[in-house]
């Protein structure tokens, strides 16, 4: 499973991303810069099931396992206002689909 969080400043500016661990913790980075600058961000969150490539040496694929809307910063409904110092943001995902 590959879980990912992306912060995009104002929906079009600086983008920072981080991979979530099994406890839902993540640390954002943008290129070689760890963390993000203070500001308002739109946020997307998603998880993908890793699907191995059937061709040896080929890149693996993925299947989205979270609702599609959360992977789109314009549809997720998630935002964050990052301030100087340590920040914590928690996002609850829910699904209307029966399991």
């Amino acid at each position: 499973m590959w879980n990912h969080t992306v912060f995009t400043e104002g929906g079009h500016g600086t983008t920072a991303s981080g991979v979530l661990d099994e406890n839902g913790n993540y640390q954002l980075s943008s290129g070689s810069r760890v963390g993000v600058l203070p500001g308002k961000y739109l946020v997307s969150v998603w998880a993908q099931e890793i699907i191995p490539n059937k061709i040896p040496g080929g890149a693996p694929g993925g299947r989205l396992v979270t609702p599609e809307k959360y992977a789109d910063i314009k549809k997720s409904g998630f935002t964050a206002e990052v301030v100087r110092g340590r920040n914590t943001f928690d996002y609850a995902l829910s699904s209307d689909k029966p399991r």
Side-chain angles (χ1 to χ4, degrees), residues 46-71:
W46 70 92
Q48 284 185 317
E49 176 184 14
I50 303 299
I51 301 172
N53 193 314
K54 293 179 182 180
I55 300 170
R63 181 183 68 81
L64 195 61
V65 296
T66 51
E68 192 174 317
K69 72 177 185 178
Y70 297 123

Side-chain angles (χ1 to χ4, degrees), residues 80-98:
E81 185 162 358
V82 176
V83 296
R84 291 196 186 283
R86 189 172 183 88
N87 293 258
T88 300
F89 301 101
D90 296 319
Y91 301 99
L93 281 61
S94 63
S95 175
D96 295 333
K97 294 181 183 179

Side-chain angles (χ1 to χ4, degrees):
M1 188 76 66
W2 187 63
N3 305 303
H4 204 73
T5 300
V6 175
F7 279 43
T8 303
E9 189 174 24
H12 61 276
T14 301
T15 298
S17 63
V19 177
L20 284 75
D21 68 16
E22 63 277 355
N23 296 314
N25 299 312
Y26 59 93
Q27 182 172 348
L28 298 172
S29 61
S30 180
S32 62
R33 178 186 174 89
V34 175
V36 294
L37 295 173
K40 293 182 181 183
Y41 292 83
L42 297 178
V43 178
S44 60
V45 179
W46 70 92
Q48 284 185 317
E49 176 184 14
I50 303 299
I51 301 172
N53 193 314
K54 293 179 182 180
I55 300 170
R63 181 183 68 81
L64 195 61
V65 296
T66 51
E68 192 174 317
K69 72 177 185 178
Y70 297 123
D72 184 331
I73 61 168
K74 294 180 181 175
K75 295 179 183 176
S76 73
F78 298 143
T79 61
E81 185 162 358
V82 176
V83 296
R84 291 196 186 283
R86 189 172 183 88
N87 293 258
T88 300
F89 301 101
D90 296 319
Y91 301 99
L93 281 61
S94 63
S95 175
D96 295 333
K97 294 181 183 179
R99 292 183 177 230

